[in-house]
Amino acid sequence: EAEVAQSPRYKITEKSQAVAFWCDPISGHATLYWYRQILGQGPELLVQFQDESVVDDSQLPKDRFSAERLKGVDSTLKIQPAELGDSAMYLCASSSSWGRNEQFFGPGTRLTVL
Amino acid sequence: AQTVTQSQPEMSVQEAETVTLSCTYDTSESDYYLFWYKQPPSRQMILVIRQEAYKQQNATENRFSVNFQKAAKSFSLKISDSQLGDAAMYFCVRAGNMLTFGGGTRLMVKP
């Protein structure tokens, strides 16, 4: 069964360091989402891609976060420099199209910033 | 801001009983979609049920059904014959021009 892959599963870093997360969506899925989920809360959409284009990054803290999906397939989310408040689960999801279709979620990357 | 509110942080149900999780949302759009997603402990988020806003008929999926009240902007989830495997965080999601998750309801199922 096709799944969304994410790596690493866990990341511990010190504040001011750079971190990067990788996501490989289900093959053929044009839409890719990155979410941040703080423990005990609902996911917050950081960025949404349609193929290689960003369609919504209104909640992405652009001074320190960046995201790319260069070939419209896999994607990387980067934080530089990491801050203590960035500790959270970072979820990637994909769907065949925006809005009406089911999103398939990856296992997430749990980031701890010390 | 277009918000999604889940007013019950935690709910508890006896195995085999029925439970209803509440969700209200804010939107100015006429065309949007509503979802309930389930996030089991340490496991991936999965779709439970989906409702198109233009459809009046409430969606059902086996033991899961919704009560969609468009005018009231309410979208509750009913789980019948609750099972131990239903224990999870449940998130209500509105997808329109913006995609927004509610804060979640933790469902505990007592044997």
Side-chain angles (χ1 to χ4, degrees):
Chain A
E1 183 175 323
E3 294 185 339
V4 176
Q6 287 188 250
S7 66
R9 294 291 306 278
Y10 303 91
K11 179 68 177 180
I12 300 174
T13 191
E14 294 185 344
K15 64 180 181 180
S16 78
Q17 296 299 303
V19 293
F21 313 132
W22 176 78
C23 173
D24 191 14
I26 291 173
S27 178
H29 278 190
T31 308
L32 185 146
Y33 309 83
W34 282 103
Y35 294 91
R36 176 171 58 190
Q37 185 178 23
I38 295 170
L39 188 63
Q41 298 183 17
E44 174 193 26
L45 179 66
L46 293 176
V47 62
Q48 176 198 337
F49 289 93
Q50 186 69 21
D51 299 310
E52 67 277 7
S53 300
V54 173
V55 295
D56 185 359
D57 63 355
S58 56
Q59 300 302 311
L60 187 72
K62 299 181 185 65
D63 56 336
R64 298 185 300 108
F65 285 65
S66 65
E68 60 183 17
R69 193 184 185 199
L70 293 176
K71 296 183 178 180
V73 181
D74 59 336
S75 176
T76 301
L77 178 69
K78 297 179 181 177
I79 309 174
Q80 182 173 17
E83 296 180 354
L84 296 178
D86 296 332
S87 294
M89 177 74 83
Y90 290 82
L91 298 171
C92 179
S94 71
S95 67
S96 55
S97 66
W98 153 247
R100 67 182 67 191
N101 285 3
E102 175 182 1
Q103 292 184 54
F104 294 83
F105 284 81
T109 296
R110 182 166 296 285
L111 173 66
T112 302
V113 182
L114 303 176
Chain B
Q2 300 195 28
T3 58
V4 176
T5 302
Q6 295 180 244
S7 59
Q8 306 148 316
E10 285 191 357
M11 291 283 286
S12 179
V13 63
Q14 203 72 33
E15 194 176 8
E17 297 296 309
T18 295
V19 65
T20 298
L21 309 183
S22 301
C23 172
T24 57
Y25 59 92
D26 180 28
T27 185
S28 56
E29 301 170 275
S30 58
D31 185 20
Y32 54 92
Y33 298 83
L34 297 164
F35 305 83
W36 279 97
Y37 280 86
K38 169 185 177 181
Q39 188 176 38
S42 301
R43 294 182 61 186
Q44 287 159 237
M45 188 108 60
I46 57 173
L47 178 68
V48 175
I49 199 165
R50 176 178 65 194
Q51 175 79 43
E52 292 90 340
Y54 65 87
K55 289 189 177 179
Q56 293 185 341
Q57 185 173 7
N58 290 322
T60 63
E61 284 289 344
N62 301 313
R63 298 183 295 107
F64 299 87
S65 62
V66 298
N67 183 3
F68 174 46
Q69 301 291 326
K70 189 172 183 178
K73 296 178 182 173
S74 171
F75 183 61
S76 61
L77 174 70
K78 185 171 81 171
I79 306 174
S80 304
D81 185 26
S82 296
Q83 301 176 359
L84 295 177
D86 294 333
M89 284 289 290
Y90 286 80
F91 293 100
C92 177
V93 182
R94 185 194 56 78
N97 287 336
M98 292 180 62
L99 194 152
T100 306
F101 277 68
T105 296
R106 180 174 303 280
L107 178 66
M108 294 172 285
V109 181
K110 298 178 180 179

